[in-house]
Amino acid sequence: MKAVVFDMDGLLFDTESLYERAILGAARELGCDMSVEVFHRFVGTPWQTNRRVMIEHYGESYPVDALRTAWMRHFGVLVEDGLELKAGVIELLELLDRIGLPRAIATSSSHDTVRRHLGKHGLAERFHAVVAAGDYANSKPAPDPFLQAAARLAVEPRHCLALEDSHNGIRSASAAGMMAVMVPDLVAPTDEIMALCSVVRSLHDVQPLLPSADDLQQADPGTMLKPK
């Protein structure tokens, strides 16, 4: 293992729960339908995919664009004072510093969103590369975001550990040829997803999977961690 690639929403930051609260609040404001079950289909997917899902589920007359505007406004209010780190983030980054592994973020969010979130917790300098919306041709579950992250770190994908919380994120990392670990947030792994990755309870549980500094010097980096 030579590098680690992180998803952002739902993995580094407890944002998915805020997005859920925000979209339900926006739907109430507009008087339109929205369910938790439909929202969970949005986790780990870009806006255009979510837009299509809403129209297919609720019909052509659904106020998709108005909902998005209200959704982002509600989210902005919630995230201003409620952006929390997920358990184990700082401890994992400190371990990566100690053993000298580079790391990147591969996310469907915008660069502006990434900068804002990282800045709130002083994490902007803790990552060696950020791959965000606009940096790749195809979003997750396509492998493009993770392949781009590996390229920016100058590490072969097979030598990267990918950390994700969503189904599409795991599909993307696996398709890129990375060693994938899921840290579930709002959605539980299915049999399909469990066949593609290892599953742990939190980022604290990722630490024992990492090699020591001595291991990195002695072992074949392609064999440090295998999906279960």
Side-chain angles (χ1 to χ4, degrees), residues 94-116:
E94 289 176 347
L95 176 57
L96 293 176
D97 286 341
R98 290 196 299 273
I99 64 179
L101 281 183
R103 77 241 34 160
I105 290 174
T107 178
S108 299
S109 292
S110 68
H111 275 284
D112 284 345
T113 298
V114 176
R115 282 192 292 269
R116 183 173 63 248

Side-chain angles (χ1 to χ4, degrees), residues 33-221:
D33 292 332
M34 176 53 60
S35 69
V36 170
E37 291 73 24
V38 170
F39 169 74
H40 283 182
R41 295 172 63 183
F42 302 164
V43 175
T45 59
W47 165 247
Q48 288 304 319
T49 300
N50 297 340
R51 191 180 194 280
R52 185 171 63 250
V53 168
M54 283 187 269
I55 291 174
E56 290 174 352
H57 189 85
Y58 291 116
E60 292 288 341
S61 63
Y62 192 76
V64 177
D65 296 318
L67 178 66
R68 186 190 190 192
T69 298
W71 181 14
M72 292 301 100
R73 175 165 43 81
H74 280 251
F75 178 76
V77 172
L78 291 172
V79 81
E80 188 61 34
D81 296 316
L83 182 65
E84 296 183 358
L85 288 173
K86 298 288 285 187
V89 171
I90 298 301
E91 294 87 347
L92 181 55
L93 291 175
E94 289 176 347
L95 176 57
L96 293 176
D97 286 341
R98 290 196 299 273
I99 64 179
L101 281 183
R103 77 241 34 160
I105 290 174
T107 178
S108 299
S109 292
S110 68
H111 275 284
D112 284 345
T113 298
V114 176
R115 282 192 292 269
R116 183 173 63 248
H117 289 1
L118 294 180
K120 277 184 173 291
H121 286 276
L123 299 180
E125 305 303 320
R126 303 299 295 270
F127 295 89
H128 300 89
V130 172
V131 174
D135 291 338
Y136 39 79
N138 301 293
S139 299
K140 303 172 187 179
D144 302 33
F146 283 101
L147 292 175
Q148 184 66 242
R152 292 192 182 183
L153 294 175
V155 176
E156 292 184 30
R158 68 190 182 94
H159 291 164
C160 294
L161 171 64
L163 302 177
E164 267 285 356
D165 71 293
S166 74
H167 293 178
N168 277 343
I170 290 297
R171 294 181 183 113
S172 176
S174 178
M178 293 188 180
M179 301 168 281
V181 171
M182 183 179 185
V183 186
D185 183 34
L186 296 186
V187 293
T190 61
D191 289 344
E192 174 218 347
I193 296 303
M194 292 180 71
L196 299 176
C197 67
S198 298
V199 179
V200 298
R201 292 173 298 177
S202 77
L203 289 175
H204 287 298
D205 299 320
V206 173
Q207 292 193 41
L209 304 178
L210 297 175
S212 67
D214 289 340
D215 289 335
L216 287 172
Q217 294 178 354
Q218 299 174 12
D220 177 358

